[in-house]
């Protein structure tokens, strides 16, 4: 499975070499990098895509999740709020923000948050089964409290 993800990353990069403004390739590259636990590279991929389409809610979600994966909770939450402002009908994102805010205040279901290196542990993406990212990223047992990336 990991090999397939690395292949996918390579293909998305090649697609972007041929057509740098191909938004879906930026989004999918960001998703794949998040799955691999490469949060800094996912952040770069999302920022590059946002240069072509600053209002892309999916790229903003990826950027927000990459910040959270790097332990930058405030920045990540702020970017996720921007994505929700663009797509107000995104109920999974609304739930994700509620979870993050409960975690930040120390109340509610997300109050016991994972260590910051755990980052987003679940991915709900089209054409992919609900997949535990820690299986791909090789995260340790101390990441038992999954947070969710909703696309």
């Amino acid at each position: 499975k990991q090999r397939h993800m690395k292949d996918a990353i390579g293909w998305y990069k090649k697609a972007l070499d041929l057509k740098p403004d191909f938004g879906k390739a930026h989004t999918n590259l960001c998703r794949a990098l998040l799955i691999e636990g490469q949060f800094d590279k996912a952040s770069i991929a999302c920022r590059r895509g946002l240069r072509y389409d600053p209002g892309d809610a999916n790229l903003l979600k990826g950027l927000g999740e990459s910040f959270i994966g790097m332990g930058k909770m405030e920045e990540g939450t702020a970017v996720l709020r921007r994505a929700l402002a663009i797509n107000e009908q995104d109920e999974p994102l609304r739930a994700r923000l509620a979870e993050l805010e409960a975690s930040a205040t120390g109340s509610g279901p997300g109050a016991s948050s994972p260590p910051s290196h755990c980052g987003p542990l679940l991915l709900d993406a089209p054409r992919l089964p609900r997949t535990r990212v820690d299986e791909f990223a090789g995260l340790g047992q101390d990441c038992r409290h999954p947070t969710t990336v909703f696309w």
Side-chain angles (χ1 to χ4, degrees), residues 41-83:
K41 291 181 181 178
S43 169
I44 292 167
C46 289
R47 287 176 200 229
R48 285 185 181 148
L50 288 166
R51 278 191 256 168
Y52 296 101
D53 186 0
D56 187 312
N58 285 326
L59 286 171
L60 286 169
K61 287 192 286 187
L63 182 60
E65 291 295 350
S66 66
F67 283 153
I68 290 166
M70 291 186 283
K72 299 177 180 179
M73 300 301 286
E74 286 182 36
E75 293 96 326
T77 303
V79 173
L80 291 177
R81 280 192 201 106
R82 282 181 45 208

Side-chain angles (χ1 to χ4, degrees), residues 30 35 51 64 66 69 72 82 91-92 97 100 103 111 125 128:
C30 180
I35 289 171
R51 278 191 256 168
S66 66
K72 299 177 180 179
R82 282 181 45 208
E91 290 305 319
L97 279 165
L100 289 168
S103 159
L128 290 176

Side-chain angles (χ1 to χ4, degrees), residues 88-123:
E88 295 176 358
Q89 305 304 312
D90 191 337
E91 290 305 319
L93 179 56
R94 188 178 309 282
R96 172 75 168 129
L97 279 165
E99 170 192 310
L100 289 168
E101 289 165 0
S103 159
T105 62
S107 63
S112 64
S113 60
S116 62
H117 72 276
C118 292
L121 297 181
L122 295 177
L123 176 70

Side-chain angles (χ1 to χ4, degrees), residues 6 8-10 17 20 30 33 38 41 52 63 76 86 93-94 96 100 109-110 118 124 127 129 133 136:
K6 288 183 176 158
I9 289 169
D17 286 342
C30 180
L33 291 166
Q38 297 180 33
K41 291 181 181 178
Y52 296 101
L63 182 60
I86 292 168
L93 179 56
R94 188 178 309 282
R96 172 75 168 129
L100 289 168
C118 292
D124 188 11
R127 290 184 256 163
V133 173
F136 291 103

